[in-house]
Amino acid sequence: MLPLMALMAMGSSKYDQRAADWRNGAIVYQVFVDRFAPSKDFAAKRALYPPPGLLKNWSDLPKPSAYDPKIGTYPHVMEFWGGDLASLRSRLDYVKNLGIDVLYLQPIFKSPSNHKYDTEDYFQIDPQYGTQADLDGLIRGVHRSKMKLVLDGVFNHIGETSKIFQTAKAGGPHRDWFTFGKKFPNGYRGWAGVKSLPGLKIENPAVRDYLWNAKGSVVKKYLKQGIDGWRLDVGFELGPRYLSELTHSAHAAKPGSLVIGEILGYPSDWQPSVDAVFNFFALTMAEHMLKGELSGGTLGQVYEEMVADAGVDHLLKSWLSTDNHDTDRFASIVPDPVDRHLIRALQFTLPGSPCLFYGSELGEPGVGDPGTRVAMDWGLVNDTNPDLKSTRSLVKARKSLRALRVGDFKRLTSEKLLAFVRTTDKLADTVFVVVNPTKESVHKVLSPRVGRLMNWGSLRDVLNGGSFVSKQGVIVLTMPPRSVKILVPDMAKNGGYSPYDRINRDEGKG
C-alpha cells in the first residue's frame, strides 16, 4: 500500500486516500487482558495476586460484592482470572482469522485492581500481565499479523497507590498535580468522587509534559516503541483544548497514529480535537427501532443527519459499538439472535469502524459490573454458533466491499424500511443496505439514487443469496420480517457482454 502523501501526489481519488489510511473503516477488537485467554501456568502466577487479591478459576462467573471498608474497595475489584499478554499472544490467530484489523487493549500498566483504570505506574507493565518484553513480543505478533495495536490511556486521573500521588498527598513533590481541599469528601478531587482515582490537574503544564508533550512522555514513549494509537479513557473530560494538544503530540511522535476518545453521545463536534470518538449512538438508535419506538424511515433520516453533522471522514474512524466493559453485553441487551444480526449488520455497513467487545461475537451474555467482564468462553467458538456465523458473514462482506469501508452515505426514501446506499467513485463498489425492522413482510419500491445503475441491471444479495432487477431506475423488492439485505450491482458479463462495459472502462477498470 502506497503512503497517503504519495497517493495524493498521484492524483488518486478521495476514496483511495481513505483506503490508504488504516484508521478508516477498520474492524476493531476490544480485549480485557485478564479475561481473554487463560495463562498457561496458573500455579506460577498465584504469588502475583496477594490478599486481598484472589485468583479465580477460568470458568467462574464474576459476581458483584458489597463495599468492604477493611480493604477500602469492593472485593470483586480484587478478583482476577489470570489472563496475560503471553496468553493473549497465543490467541492472535483467532483474532486475525476473525478478520480484525485493530486490537485494542484495556489498561495494561501497573495497577492494584483487576480493571487497571487506577494506574500506579504508567511506565511499568503490570506484572500480572507480564513485562515490557511481553508487550514488545505482542507488538511484533500483531504487526506480523497485519494488524494494529491500540492501548488504553487513562490520563484524566491516576491511582491512589501511585508514588506520584502518595508523595503529593504527604506534601512533597507533585502537590500541584492534584487539587486538594476540605470541600472534597476525601480531601482531594477524585474522578466522580471515587477515592481510589485522584484527578490529575492537567491545567498544569508539567502534568501534560509527563503524560503527552515531553519527549519521554507516556504517549510518545509507547508510540515510539511500536503501538499504533491511544484510546483515551473518559476523553470528554479532558476537554477539546487539551485533547487537541494530546492528538498533535501523538501525531508528531508517530504520523498516522490513532487518537480516539471515549466520548459517548452524538458523534459530532469533537474533530479535529481527536481523530475519532465512540459511536454508541448509531446502534442504540437501531435498538429503539427494533423495539418499535421509531420507524426504519425515521432512523434513515437520523443517520443522514448524523453523517451531515459529523462528516463521513470523521465517522469512518469512529468506533461503532454495541457494547463494552461499561455496558451490559450485546446478547443481554438484545436477547433475540435475529435482532442481534440486524443490528450487527448495521454495525458493519454504516460509516465507521465496527468495534467488537471480546466474546460478543460469540453471543456471550453478561449483565452489570462485574457481570459484563466475564472470562472468554472458548467453548462457544464453533461453526454452529449463530452469533459467530453472523459476525463472520458480515466481516466477509465488509472485507470484500470497498464502499462499506470508505464509501459515502445516502439515505433512500422509505417509511417502514431502513434503506441506504454506500458509494465510491466506482459503480461496481456500490452497496445498497435494506433492513425490515418490522414483524411483517414489506413490499417496497425504492429509488436507488445511483444514476449509473442500468435498466434491467440485476442486484445480488451478498448476505443471503438471490438477485433483484432494477427497471427504469427503480428497485422493487419484498423484505421478509426482521430481515436485512446487502445488495451490489451484478457486473458479470453474459456472452462476453455487459451494459457496464464502457462505464467500467471510463472508471479505469478495463
Side-chain angles (χ1 to χ4, degrees), residues 260-283:
I260 179 167
E262 184 196 16
I263 297 171
L264 301 171
Y266 191 63
S268 68
D269 304 326
W270 286 90
Q271 65 277 21
S273 296
V274 287
D275 298 316
V277 300
F278 281 23
N279 189 356
F280 274 88
F281 166 82
L283 302 178

Side-chain angles (χ1 to χ4, degrees), residues 241-297:
R241 173 185 170 187
Y242 297 125
L243 285 174
S244 295
E245 186 179 279
L246 190 161
T247 300
H248 177 78
S249 292
H251 290 173
K254 188 167 190 174
S257 56
L258 173 68
V259 177
I260 179 167
E262 184 196 16
I263 297 171
L264 301 171
Y266 191 63
S268 68
D269 304 326
W270 286 90
Q271 65 277 21
S273 296
V274 287
D275 298 316
V277 300
F278 281 23
N279 189 356
F280 274 88
F281 166 82
L283 302 178
T284 300
M285 290 293 286
E287 292 167 17
H288 287 287
M289 175 186 67
L290 289 182
K291 293 176 183 177
E293 296 172 347
L294 73 163
S295 69

Side-chain angles (χ1 to χ4, degrees), residues 158-215:
I158 201 168
E160 181 187 15
T161 60
S162 69
K163 183 178 179 180
I164 289 174
F165 178 71
Q166 287 298 318
T167 58
K169 186 179 179 182
H174 306 114
R175 180 90 179 166
D176 59 351
W177 285 32
F178 305 90
T179 303
F180 294 93
K182 294 181 179 179
K183 65 180 179 179
F184 302 107
N186 300 306
Y188 54 87
R189 182 180 181 273
W191 178 79
V194 176
K195 180 175 181 291
S196 62
L197 302 175
L200 286 161
K201 191 189 293 182
I202 62 169
E203 290 77 10
N204 184 338
V207 175
R208 304 200 304 279
D209 284 346
Y210 172 79
L211 291 173
W212 61 74
N213 276 336
K215 183 178 180 179

Side-chain angles (χ1 to χ4, degrees), residues 47-92:
L48 297 174
Y49 308 93
L54 178 64
L55 186 59
K56 306 284 285 187
N57 294 318
W58 196 258
S59 59
D60 290 344
L61 294 177
K63 297 179 181 179
S65 56
Y67 183 84
D68 186 344
K70 292 182 180 179
I71 63 174
T73 188
Y74 298 85
H76 68 258
V77 173
M78 301 304 296
E79 294 177 344
F80 302 84
W81 270 251
D84 51 39
L85 295 177
S87 62
L88 166 59
R89 188 179 178 186
S90 73
R91 297 284 189 167
L92 283 182

Side-chain angles (χ1 to χ4, degrees), residues 101 425 446:
D101 302 305
D425 53 340
L446 285 173

Side-chain angles (χ1 to χ4, degrees), residues 52 89 125 138-139 157 174 204 223 232 277 279 332 366-367 488:
R89 188 179 178 186
I125 306 304
L138 180 65
I139 292 171
H157 47 267
H174 306 114
N204 184 338
L223 286 171
L232 305 180
V277 300
N279 189 356
S332 296
V367 176
V488 299

Side-chain angles (χ1 to χ4, degrees), residues 89-349:
R89 188 179 178 186
S90 73
R91 297 284 189 167
L92 283 182
D93 283 349
Y94 169 79
V95 178
K96 179 60 179 177
N97 291 336
L98 192 59
I100 301 304
D101 302 305
V102 179
L103 179 63
Y104 151 53
L105 308 185
Q106 290 177 237
I108 63 171
F109 305 126
K110 191 173 189 302
S111 310
S113 69
N114 55 30
H115 58 72
K116 305 200 182 302
Y117 284 95
D118 49 348
T119 312
E120 189 171 293
D121 186 348
Y122 293 102
F123 294 101
Q124 182 181 353
I125 306 304
D126 195 293
Q128 295 167 354
Y129 286 174
T131 63
Q132 180 63 50
D134 289 313
L135 176 59
D136 292 340
L138 180 65
I139 292 171
R140 290 193 299 271
V142 167
H143 289 167
R144 275 198 299 266
S145 298
K146 307 301 182 184
M147 296 186 290
K148 303 292 185 180
L149 183 65
V150 171
L151 295 186
D152 209 323
V154 188
F155 303 141
N156 178 70
H157 47 267
I158 201 168
E160 181 187 15
T161 60
S162 69
K163 183 178 179 180
I164 289 174
F165 178 71
Q166 287 298 318
T167 58
K169 186 179 179 182
H174 306 114
R175 180 90 179 166
D176 59 351
W177 285 32
F178 305 90
T179 303
F180 294 93
K182 294 181 179 179
K183 65 180 179 179
F184 302 107
N186 300 306
Y188 54 87
R189 182 180 181 273
W191 178 79
V194 176
K195 180 175 181 291
S196 62
L197 302 175
L200 286 161
K201 191 189 293 182
I202 62 169
E203 290 77 10
N204 184 338
V207 175
R208 304 200 304 279
D209 284 346
Y210 172 79
L211 291 173
W212 61 74
N213 276 336
K215 183 178 180 179
S217 65
V218 180
V219 166
K220 292 185 176 181
K221 172 184 184 290
Y222 290 98
L223 286 171
K224 291 293 186 182
Q225 287 182 352
I227 75 163
D228 302 289
W230 287 97
R231 174 265 190 192
L232 305 180
D233 185 54
V234 293
F236 56 94
E237 294 199 28
L238 298 180
R241 173 185 170 187
Y242 297 125
L243 285 174
S244 295
E245 186 179 279
L246 190 161
T247 300
H248 177 78
S249 292
H251 290 173
K254 188 167 190 174
S257 56
L258 173 68
V259 177
I260 179 167
E262 184 196 16
I263 297 171
L264 301 171
Y266 191 63
S268 68
D269 304 326
W270 286 90
Q271 65 277 21
S273 296
V274 287
D275 298 316
V277 300
F278 281 23
N279 189 356
F280 274 88
F281 166 82
L283 302 178
T284 300
M285 290 293 286
E287 292 167 17
H288 287 287
M289 175 186 67
L290 289 182
K291 293 176 183 177
E293 296 172 347
L294 73 163
S295 69
T298 299
L299 183 55
Q301 183 175 350
V302 168
Y303 288 156
E304 184 176 57
E305 293 167 352
M306 176 185 73
V307 173
D309 292 340
V312 70
D313 287 286
H314 177 62
L315 289 175
L316 289 175
K317 296 179 180 65
S318 295
W319 290 359
L320 281 160
S321 300
T322 57
D323 57 343
N324 70 4
H325 58 289
D326 289 324
T327 73
D328 291 346
R329 282 183 166 267
F330 189 35
S332 296
I333 298 170
V334 183
D336 188 337
V338 174
D339 289 350
R340 289 202 294 275
H341 178 65
L342 293 192
I343 294 175
R344 189 73 83 196
L346 291 174
Q347 184 181 27
F348 278 79
T349 57

